[in-house]
Amino acid sequence: MPELVLETNGRTWTLDPSRTYTLGRDPQGDIAFDDARVSWRHATVSHNGRSWLIEDHGSTNGTFVRGQRVQQTEIGPGSAVHLGNATDGPCLNLSAAAAAAAAPQAQPYAAQGAGAGWAGQQAQQPPAAQPDPQAGWQHAQAQAQAQAPLAAAIPQQPVPQQGPGGGAGAPPAYGDRSPTTFHQFSLGRVMRIGRALENDLVVSDLQVSRNHAEFHATPDGRMEIRDLGSHNGTYVNGQPITKGGSATLGPTDIVGVGHSTFRIVGDRLEEFVDTGEVSFSARHLTVTVDGGKQILKDVSFGVPEKSLIAVIGPSGSGKSTLLKALTGYRPADQGEVLYDNRNLYKQFAELRQRIGLVPQDDILHKELTVKKALKYAAKLRFPADTTGAERDARIDEVLRELKLDPHKDKKVTSLSGGQRKRVSVALELLTKPSLIFLDEPTSGLDPGMDRDVMTLLRGLADDGRTVLVVTHSVAELAICDKLLVMAPGGSVAYFGPPEEALNFFGYESWADVFSAFENYRDYDWAGRWKGSQHYQMYAADIDAVAPQSAAVPPPQAIRPPKPQAWGSQLLTLIRRYVSVIVSDKGFLALTVILPAVLGAVSLLIDHEKGLLVNPINSRTHLPTPNGTATTVLLILAVGACFAGAANSVRELIKERVIYERERATGLSRSAYLMSKVVVLGLITVLQGLMVGLIGFSSREIPGKGLVLGSATLFELCLPIMALGFTSMMVGLVISSLVKTAEKTMPLLVMFAIIQVVFTGCLFTLHGTLGVNEFSYLMPSRWAVAGAGTTLDLNNIAPNVDDPTSTDPLWDHTVSAWSLDMAALLALGVICGFLVARFLRRHEPEVMRK
């Protein structure tokens, strides 16, 4: 079958007769056009075994050959095709394959000058779609063996003829697909990969850094890949190499850069571009919990490319467990998950960038506008060298695809349930995932919105993605390609076309099926399925293809890279958090009113006397004890504790779903925590200052402080400010521990009451064995002591029972004040460490391993 050369706007493609090529505005298509007259998926070019054909796919403005609009027609060398307009629409010129020798990208590297036009043309060329899997492994290997051997510096590797997954030799880098593109090596040549136009091999992918990596020939004749400090990392067999480091490549090694995968076969580099058409399969997944109980039992199914799969089942059937196992959030104890023939668990560091997950709860900050929420998500997920214009272009592209343009300036909270789900999907589509999982996307939606969401998912699958949705709704199952029904206990009761499912179970409605699950819980539903003809048709060959057999190093040896540097992530997170707070007018008002009220309450305590020093007895003219000071400190300390903890006690629990998803995409745990500490810490410290100023400024205080001299008022406020900060950190600990937001309020009240008891103002703590030592764990104990050293509480509020017994934490010395403040801040640091450890529990388990 003859090859055909297609040329448009200075770019050239040599078309393989075994493949179908998609033309349109879709950047994931084979040949993309940036022209509004061209439809998203405009037409296809293919070979029918006799001649080349171009077929219009319902485009708005039409496909034209020789000035005539066509639906399907033969084309060949000398033909000219216009898209969108018969005269000035984008033009495709066709010529015979022999002309390929003149095309820049067809020349060997030795014939190209440094920085020749080849690189620039490749930069404009969009990634090509994957060929039909039926083209197969044999076709790729036949082409590989036809190449001339490389010079002595790079010994040629033998490539055996074999089927997918068979034995030694180079395994399929992308399932059983043929390479998208071939790149010829030349002796001594360095091949640089990146997004910038000056690279030898330009990859038009925002997941790729401008200068990402290089292929080098080593002195011993082998090849190595060198990372150039990329942001999303360079991977060998799914594992990241050290940032700025290198790895020597063997004959079976596969290099991952963004959505592209590379393999060296003989004297050439084979490129496989992930454009979404990937297969996905689960094999014998079993999950066992404490006590040996299996909540997922031998679940196996295979998902074809560009398909929509629904997962349904009664409560307790393991749907959520299955979703966690499929995405790596909680890997199965037995079995494996294969992403286009690659083990997801072993290569999660790389493959996580190609998987999208939309949880049941929205992964958005509802206080932000749609575009601003996507803007911050893109900033966190794309490399640091991505420009604002590139991010905005991708955001606008996704908004157009999901028909969210009219809503981009609306706050997420003002959208309907279906529109919010679209925004969650849009957030995941930013990085062009090939595989998208959704957990109960239609939960709580009316039937109309249910249909809209499922229709959206159908469109995503048709556009070249694999979509798996867990749902309770059975109204729109007919638009799915496959249906997976889970039985009670976590086993598969059915997998196949949805239209055949009810006949398989022998019932007329899904209500009857679910009732049967409930009434016959001990029935062997899995055994019935495996013994059926449907199993033989749709699941029996799940083990037919062996997974990729390339050696994989221990995944814990090197941490996965992050798309943004730690400081860049921190700055983005701080800006986003500030935007969320500023958008919440109620929270802003509360942050001002709460400390003002708490500080004002202290003014009711002996306000007429207004003394925080020893009053002078009018008869003896000697100072007498003053009980007002401890009461005022008690009120101010409790106010600071409550305000600080209230600010943070809900922060982590309300964002838990957002954190879990962003952590899986490369978010730094410490940067996330630090953003909370910085923003909430600043707010809480200012609140503590307000509480202290209101409580102390109207009273008579010592004329000179211990540490700050004449700035006594500020010295008294410092312990209250530090107490608010440490209480805020305690609130974060509570927020990281609880499972629901409703549990935070009882714990907040309990924390505030405990602080009241252990301030040392209600009863004497010093000298009380056990109780005094336990009070050292309480922030309020150290804060009151810090202010007490400045006021000299041992003098103005002595122990009534034993005036000679003084609290060393209240001593009127600089060392005592410093100890109190240091201990208070140390408690805050300890809380920060605990929060970081507790946050680790809310990360994909495969990352923790």
Side-chain angles (χ1 to χ4, degrees), residues 424-506:
S424 293
V425 173
L427 190 150
E428 290 300 309
L429 291 185
L430 288 175
T431 54
K432 298 184 179 180
S434 304
L435 186 62
I436 303 177
F437 294 93
L438 300 99
D439 186 12
E440 300 287 355
T442 60
S443 177
L445 302 183
D446 60 50
M449 289 185 179
D450 182 356
R451 176 183 298 174
D452 289 343
V453 172
M454 293 301 291
T455 302
L456 166 67
L457 302 184
R458 177 72 266 172
L460 293 178
D462 292 339
D463 283 341
R465 305 176 183 91
T466 300
V467 182
L468 188 146
V469 53
V470 175
T471 179
H472 276 108
S473 174
V474 297
E476 304 297 330
L477 296 180
I479 69 173
C480 300
D481 298 298
K482 291 289 190 295
L483 175 65
L484 176 67
V485 182
M486 300 294 294
S491 59
V492 176
Y494 174 83
F495 178 74
E499 61 270 16
E500 300 177 16
L502 287 177
N503 286 335
F504 172 81
F505 287 107

Side-chain angles (χ1 to χ4, degrees), residues 64-406:
F64 301 86
V65 177
R66 293 183 293 275
Q68 300 296 318
R69 183 165 182 168
V70 298
Q71 178 61 35
Q72 184 184 69
T73 188
E74 292 185 1
I75 55 175
S79 299
V81 179
H82 287 84
L83 305 181
N85 188 282
T87 55
D88 61 352
C91 181
L92 290 73
N93 294 305
L94 306 173
S95 59
Q105 67 269 32
Q107 299 175 16
Y109 273 70
Q112 301 172 21
W118 180 85
Q121 293 176 9
Q122 288 294 315
Q124 301 175 36
Q125 178 175 337
Q130 296 301 329
D132 188 273
Q134 298 304 319
W137 172 243
Q138 287 84 357
H139 176 72
Q141 294 306 309
Q143 289 183 321
Q145 288 188 326
Q147 298 295 320
L150 189 61
I154 308 174
Q156 183 176 358
Q157 302 294 342
V159 183
Q161 292 271 4
Q162 56 187 2
Y174 229 80
D176 57 354
R177 308 184 187 283
S178 298
T180 305
T181 314
F182 302 103
H183 306 281
Q184 199 74 27
F185 281 121
S186 64
L187 182 61
R189 176 86 181 209
V190 174
M191 185 186 295
R192 175 172 290 187
I193 303 173
R195 205 173 71 248
L197 301 182
E198 64 267 16
N199 290 284
D200 300 306
L201 202 165
V202 178
V203 180
S204 301
D205 181 359
L206 291 183
Q207 294 287 84
V208 177
S209 299
R210 297 186 64 81
N211 295 290
H212 197 103
E214 289 179 340
F215 283 98
H216 284 259
T218 61
D220 60 359
R222 293 187 293 175
M223 293 296 294
E224 71 175 13
I225 181 71
R226 296 180 185 176
D227 184 84
L228 300 179
S230 63
H231 299 279
N232 275 324
T234 304
Y235 300 83
V236 176
N237 300 324
Q239 300 302 313
I241 63 176
T242 307
K243 192 170 185 177
S246 62
T248 302
L249 303 176
T252 64
D253 289 332
I254 295 170
V255 177
V257 174
H259 285 82
S260 295
T261 306
F262 301 91
R263 179 183 61 192
I264 298 173
V265 178
D267 62 345
R268 68 179 180 180
L269 182 70
E270 297 183 347
E271 179 181 4
F272 301 77
V273 180
D274 183 349
T275 56
E277 298 175 343
V278 299
S279 62
F280 183 78
S281 61
R283 299 185 178 182
H284 309 294
L285 299 183
T286 300
V287 174
T288 305
V289 296
D290 295 339
K293 180 181 179 181
Q294 290 184 344
I295 57 176
L296 205 65
K297 300 179 182 178
D298 194 27
V299 174
S300 297
F301 63 94
V303 178
E305 62 185 37
K306 296 175 61 176
S307 58
L308 173 60
I309 295 85
V311 180
I312 65 171
S315 299
S317 60
K319 298 188 300 297
S320 297
T321 303
L322 174 62
L323 189 63
K324 292 178 180 179
L326 295 177
T327 56
Y329 275 70
R330 199 294 189 190
D333 300 304
Q334 300 176 32
E336 57 188 2
V337 177
L338 300 183
Y339 175 102
D340 229 22
N341 213 40
R342 303 174 66 184
N343 191 303
L344 175 66
Y345 297 160
K346 293 181 179 179
Q347 304 188 28
F348 184 79
E350 177 188 356
L351 296 180
R352 65 177 181 172
Q353 303 177 27
R354 309 186 190 184
I355 295 176
L357 173 62
V358 181
Q360 183 173 351
D361 297 325
D362 293 325
I363 48 177
L364 308 151
H365 289 89
K366 298 179 181 179
E367 300 84 359
L368 301 178
T369 64
V370 171
K371 188 161 187 179
K372 186 172 285 189
L374 295 180
K375 176 182 176 182
Y376 285 119
K379 179 72 174 174
L380 288 171
R381 298 191 183 193
F382 289 143
D385 59 7
T386 307
T387 65
E390 289 175 315
R391 290 194 300 269
D392 289 342
R394 179 57 188 156
I395 291 171
D396 291 339
E397 183 182 332
V398 171
L399 290 174
R400 287 194 301 269
E401 182 180 356
L402 298 182
K403 297 180 177 60
L404 287 170
D405 289 63

